[in-house]
Amino acid sequence: MLRTLGFAARRYSTAAKQLDVCIVGSGPAGFYTADKLLKRFGEDIKVDILDRLPTPFGLVRTGVAPDHGDTKNVTNQFTRIAQDPRVNFFGNVTVGRDVSYQELKQLYSAVVLAYGAESDRRLNIPGEDSKGVFAAREFVWWYNGHPDQQHLPVDLSQVESVAICGIGNVALDCARILLRPVEELATTDIARHALQQLRSSKVRQVHLCARRGPVQAACTPKELKELVTMPSIAIHAKPSQLAVSESDQAEMKAVRLKRRIYELIANAAKDPKPGATRDLYFQLYRNPAAIIADADNQVQALRVEMTRLVADPERGTKAVGTGEFVEYPVQMVLKSIGYKSLPIDGVPFDSKQGIVPNSAGRVLTGGCPASLSQLNTINLCQSAGLQLHSNSPATNVEPVATRMQQPHYELEPGIKSAATAVSSSSAVA
C-alpha cells in the first residue's frame, strides 16, 4: 500500500539519533512544526508531510482572503522548507483511505496531526438547512478555489442583503469580499468562478450579527479598520448598541485592543461617507433564533433575539435573551461561529467538542492518556521553541492534539504529560 503511494517504506534507523517523523497536514502548523524539527535535529531527522489535497499550504492557500496577498507570502518560507532534502511532500493522500493511522504508527518515530478543522459548528436553529445558508468556511473555500467547494450553489445575482452570524476575522473577510468593488478583486488571485459571480452580484447590504457587544467582538483591530475605512462602504451601528456599561469600561481599561475595536466601530458609524454605494450594519446584542424561508426553502429573512450581558463566573459576562425579536430581510446567511475537526479512523475523537481529546497536547485514550510504556519519550515544548527527545524506538505511538477549549478528562494516576502541542491546530503522536 505505502509503496504504491510513493512512500519510502521507512524502517527505524540503526543510528541511535535518527528520527522519522510524519506530519499529517501541510498548512502553517505542519510547516512550522517541520521547520522546528529540522532546526533542532539537523541531519538526524527525516520529515514526510502528507495532505489530502494535491497542493500544500492549507489555509494560507484556501483560507487567507485573496485581497490579503502579503499574508500569503509566507508560502515562500514554506516552499524553502519543502525543498529541504530531509523533507518529502506527498499530496492527494488521505489518512484512513490511502494509508491507515496504524500503518503510520508502525513506520514513523512520531506522527504529528496538523490537519486542522474542516467542519463547522451549527447554530441549531430552525431553517438552518434552507437554501442560501452556508458556513463561512465553505464560502471562503469557494472564493479561494478550494476543490471541495468550487461548486457551492452561490448565486449572488439573486442576493441583495446578506446576514453573517459572527464578528470574528473570518466574518469580516466575507463581508469585505461581498462589499468590495469587484474591479479591486479582479487584480487578486480570487477564483475565476467567484469573480464571475461577484461581477453579477446585487449585494448592497451586509448585516454582521453578534450575540454580545462591540467590546466583546472577536475580530482584531487591523482587519476591522480595513473594512470600516473603505470609502465605498457606509457603516451603521445604532447608538443603543454602542452604549458602554461599567463592565465594558473595565474590559477596555484592562485590554487596550478592546478599546481600539470599540472606537473603530463607534467612529465609523459617525462617518456619513456620502460617496458610499454599499452598507454594512453592525447588529450587536443579536442572537440568531431562526432562518425564515419561502415555499421553495429559499432564505427570506434572519430572525434574531435581542440580548443583554449578565455576569458569568467563568466567562466574565454572557449574553442572555430578552424575549424581544426582530427580523432582517436577507437572501443569504453565512455562519461564522467556529470550526470543528473531523475524526480519523483509529484516532480517539470527542465528537461533541470536535477534537482529539488530550491533556496538554497528549492524547487521552478512553478518558486517560496512554501509558508511558506505550510511548516513545517525546517532548514538544512550545515555550522553549521545540524540543524533541527520543530515547527509545517507537513501538506504539498515540496521537496528541490541542484545541483552545478542552473537555475535562481524568488523568491516569502517576502519569505526566508527555507533550505540549506546537500550536492549537496540531497534534503529535
Side-chain angles (χ1 to χ4, degrees):
M1 169 68 78
L2 297 180
R3 293 181 189 277
T4 62
L5 291 171
F7 285 93
R10 294 207 184 272
R11 294 291 181 267
Y12 302 111
S13 172
T14 54
K17 295 183 179 180
Q18 180 68 61
L19 292 171
D20 293 317
V21 177
C22 176
I23 300 174
V24 181
S26 65
F31 270 98
Y32 283 128
T33 299
D35 186 43
K36 292 290 187 180
L37 289 170
L38 296 175
K39 290 177 178 176
R40 171 64 177 83
F41 292 100
E43 297 303 317
D44 294 328
I45 192 167
K46 299 291 184 182
V47 178
D48 287 349
I49 302 175
L50 315 184
D51 202 289
R52 72 176 185 88
L53 296 181
T55 54
F57 308 144
L59 284 179
V60 178
R61 184 186 296 272
T62 60
V64 176
D67 54 352
H68 283 179
D70 289 347
T71 304
K72 297 187 179 186
N73 288 336
V74 71
T75 58
N76 296 326
Q77 177 186 351
F78 295 163
T79 298
R80 290 192 293 270
I81 296 170
Q83 291 173 337
D84 190 292
R86 295 166 293 172
V87 176
N88 292 304
F89 171 73
F90 298 99
N92 205 28
V93 175
T94 299
V95 177
R97 182 194 67 187
D98 303 309
V99 59
S100 73
Y101 168 65
Q102 297 299 326
E103 288 176 299
L104 294 181
K105 288 202 301 181
Q106 295 171 3
L107 290 168
Y108 292 94
S109 310
V111 177
V112 179
L113 301 180
Y115 61 94
E118 295 190 330
S119 184
D120 310 278
R121 299 190 181 279
R122 290 178 60 85
L123 291 168
N124 293 318
I125 60 176
E128 187 170 1
D129 296 319
S130 302
K131 297 176 183 177
V133 181
F134 308 105
R137 173 192 58 83
E138 295 174 322
F139 188 69
V140 170
W141 282 10
W142 172 77
Y143 65 62
N144 275 326
H146 193 293
D148 286 4
Q149 301 299 338
Q150 60 181 323
H151 300 301
L152 193 70
V154 175
D155 185 0
L156 297 179
S157 67
Q158 303 298 314
V159 178
E160 295 182 359
S161 184
V162 177
I164 302 177
C165 303
I167 194 172
N169 284 346
V170 174
L172 299 189
D173 282 347
C174 293
R176 194 179 64 255
I177 295 299
L178 286 166
L179 296 176
R180 182 182 283 279
V182 69
E183 59 270 17
E184 296 179 12
L185 292 171
T187 61
T188 71
D189 64 352
I190 191 170
R192 182 178 301 177
H193 59 258
L195 186 62
Q196 291 173 343
Q197 277 289 327
L198 289 165
R199 289 191 188 280
S200 62
S201 172
K202 293 183 180 179
V203 175
R204 295 297 179 268
Q205 296 181 351
V206 169
H207 299 264
L208 286 172
C209 301
R211 290 178 303 149
R212 298 189 292 171
V215 176
Q216 294 79 33
C219 58
T220 54
K222 180 181 178 181
E223 282 67 26
L224 179 61
K225 181 180 180 180
E226 178 185 9
L227 177 61
V228 300
T229 57
M230 291 177 65
S232 60
I233 304 174
I235 308 301
H236 306 273
K238 293 182 178 180
S240 61
Q241 297 178 34
L242 295 175
V244 177
S245 67
E246 290 185 6
S247 61
D248 288 336
Q249 290 282 12
E251 283 190 61
M252 289 191 289
K253 184 177 181 180
V255 183
R256 181 176 175 272
L257 291 181
K258 291 182 178 290
R259 176 174 293 279
R260 179 60 176 151
I261 289 172
Y262 173 82
E263 291 173 346
L264 283 168
I265 297 174
N267 292 336
K270 298 175 184 177
D271 185 354
K273 291 187 182 178
T277 58
R278 301 184 180 185
D279 297 285
L280 176 66
Y281 294 86
F282 284 88
Q283 306 292 3
L284 306 168
Y285 302 103
R286 302 290 188 266
N287 190 32
I291 295 170
I292 300 170
D294 61 15
D296 296 324
N297 200 35
Q298 180 64 45
V299 173
Q300 295 296 299
L302 174 67
R303 189 171 192 241
V304 299
E305 182 180 13
M306 299 181 187
T307 65
R308 60 185 178 87
L309 296 184
V310 298
D312 182 85
E314 295 183 358
R315 301 181 181 179
T317 60
K318 67 177 181 179
V320 297
T322 64
E324 300 177 79
F325 296 85
V326 65
E327 293 180 7
Y328 303 122
V330 297
Q331 297 79 47
M332 188 165 81
V333 175
L334 300 179
K335 304 175 294 181
S336 185
I337 59 171
Y339 307 111
K340 296 174 66 176
S341 291
L342 295 173
I344 290 179
D345 187 37
V347 178
F349 192 75
D350 185 327
S351 57
K352 183 177 180 180
Q353 296 287 327
I355 62 169
V356 175
N358 67 95
S359 174
R362 181 181 171 199
V363 73
L364 297 173
T365 304
C368 292
S371 65
L372 289 179
S373 62
Q374 294 177 307
L375 290 161
N376 57 339
T377 54
I378 296 176
N379 297 296
L380 296 177
C381 302
Q382 188 174 15
S383 60
L386 179 64
Q387 299 177 4
L388 178 60
H389 308 284
S390 182
N391 300 324
S392 61
T395 55
N396 184 15
V397 184
E398 291 294 335
V400 200
T402 61
R403 279 285 161 203
M404 292 183 66
Q405 295 182 349
Q406 309 290 355
H408 177 72
Y409 293 85
E410 292 299 325
L411 293 176
E412 188 172 306
I415 299 296
K416 296 182 179 180
S417 173
T420 57
V422 177
S423 77
S424 63
S425 61
S426 65
V428 181

